[in-house]
Amino acid sequence: MKNKIFIIALIGICTFMYGCRNAEEKKAMGPEDVVEAFSKALASGDFENARCLCDSIAMKDYIEGYAEVWNRLQKEDSSALAIAASLLSEAEMSIIRSEKTGDGKDVYYRIEAEGNVRELKATVKKEEGEWKVKMITDAL
């Protein structure tokens, strides 16, 4: 059951507790900061902030898929959602490395919770002076 909850919770992130940051704060965020904030926003169910931190067109399906699972769990089994949210709030996220790629960066990171580990890659690019998440995939 614990593993199932972890998998459900990591659908879509595999990983901002605060409102959309103002333009100055967002411009000061580096690619790794944006990836971490995006993952935290998804993990806490804060989809509006997640949209502020990504290319909302490229990541639309990603966020909507995550929100759909979140909302379904909330309706069908709110206790499972509470457990998953608790696990995610205690999850450890660590940046493995960043690599420059053309006009952006690939940020490789790891999320670990309850002994389960997932390694992911976020592709980020600058838009109007701010780093935005363009894509999240499994790290190879």
Side-chain angles (χ1 to χ4, degrees):
M1 173 73 173
K2 191 185 331 182
N3 195 28
K4 179 181 176 186
I5 292 170
F6 181 77
I7 291 170
I8 291 170
L10 288 181
I11 292 174
I13 43 174
C14 301
T15 295
F16 211 174
M17 304 280 216
Y18 309 108
C20 267
R21 296 178 173 215
N22 68 39
E24 291 296 316
E25 289 175 321
K26 286 196 283 185
K27 285 184 181 181
M29 293 175 76
E32 296 85 359
D33 300 324
V34 169
V35 170
E36 186 172 355
F38 178 77
S39 294
K40 285 181 180 179
L42 286 178
S44 67
D46 188 353
F47 305 115
E48 287 306 311
N49 280 320
R51 285 182 187 94
C52 292
L53 296 164
C54 70
D55 177 329
S56 58
I57 295 171
M59 295 293 289
K60 181 179 181 217
D61 291 340
Y62 186 88
I63 292 173
E64 285 179 4
Y66 195 88
E68 181 180 314
V69 170
W70 184 277
N71 292 332
R72 185 169 14 111
L73 268 178
Q74 192 171 31
K75 289 177 186 170
E76 295 173 3
D77 192 352
S78 60
S79 60
L81 179 60
I83 292 168
S86 175
L87 285 172
L88 284 174
S89 70
E90 296 171 10
E92 302 258 341
M93 180 181 168
S94 57
I95 303 296
I96 299 169
R97 71 182 184 280
S98 294
E99 297 176 354
K100 183 158 177 49
T101 58
D103 60 346
K105 282 196 170 188
D106 285 340
V107 178
Y108 294 84
Y109 62 104
R110 173 187 322 226
I111 296 175
E112 184 172 353
E114 295 290 314
N116 295 289
V117 177
R118 184 107 190 245
E119 290 188 3
L120 302 157
K121 176 178 82 169
T123 300
V124 294
K125 292 186 180 176
K126 264 196 172 181
E127 290 180 1
E128 299 177 13
E130 298 174 14
W131 289 100
K132 299 282 187 172
V133 176
K134 295 283 195 175
M135 182 181 356
I136 305 272
T137 59
D138 285 331
L140 299 177

